Amino acid sequence: MDCIFCKILKGEIPSYKIYEDENVFAFLDIAGDVDGHTLVIPKKHFTNILDCDDQTLKNVMIDVKKISKHYVDDCGYDGVNIFNANDESAQQSVFHFHIHIVPRKKGDGLDGFPHFSGSLDKIENMFEKLKMNK
């Protein structure tokens, strides 16, 4: 497997580890796009959230919360953006399930939410298409 995140887990590629437990590994994104940009990954390889088992997803999200609270409670940040992309169509670039945490401060000037160009269909049509029946 040629997964860069699996190579980081194996120690083949160095990383700036923020947190680790038996199921999850969190490290700084080396892209240098924003201070503190953290990636949280399961130690078991999954392509994305769509093929991730429920227990692994639970473990990842518990640690995402733990790390996020640490950033706010202990590191001087006011909040965090948490995001995830699933599949190439959603701009996923590394195909190992991961959650991004971006620490935020009031007035930091970052735009942490995408700008969408507007719906193409009526909300009623989308409701009919997307609603779930248990």
Side-chain angles (χ1 to χ4, degrees), residues 63-88:
D63 286 345
V64 164
K65 179 181 177 183
K66 183 183 299 183
I67 295 162
S68 297
K69 283 188 61 57
H70 167 67
Y71 288 174
V72 171
D73 294 346
D74 305 321
C75 300
Y77 290 96
D78 299 313
V80 297
N81 284 111
I82 297 171
F83 62 96
N84 165 257
N86 297 282
D87 194 64
E88 190 176 351

Side-chain angles (χ1 to χ4, degrees), residues 40-104:
V40 183
I41 64 172
K43 289 185 174 180
K44 184 176 177 186
H45 182 91
F46 293 95
T47 301
N48 56 43
I49 200 170
L50 302 173
D51 71 342
C52 184
D53 68 68
D54 290 348
Q55 186 59 52
T56 300
L57 179 59
K58 179 181 175 181
N59 293 336
V60 168
M61 293 311 295
I62 286 170
D63 286 345
V64 164
K65 179 181 177 183
K66 183 183 299 183
I67 295 162
S68 297
K69 283 188 61 57
H70 167 67
Y71 288 174
V72 171
D73 294 346
D74 305 321
C75 300
Y77 290 96
D78 299 313
V80 297
N81 284 111
I82 297 171
F83 62 96
N84 165 257
N86 297 282
D87 194 64
E88 190 176 351
S89 63
Q91 298 177 306
Q92 182 179 2
S93 59
V94 176
F95 294 91
H96 183 123
F97 172 52
H98 59 287
I99 301 289
H100 298 257
I101 302 173
V102 177
R104 301 295 303 271

Side-chain angles (χ1 to χ4, degrees), residues 5-15:
F5 289 173
C6 288
K7 289 179 179 181
I8 289 171
L9 286 169
K10 292 177 190 172
E12 296 172 9
I13 298 174
S15 66

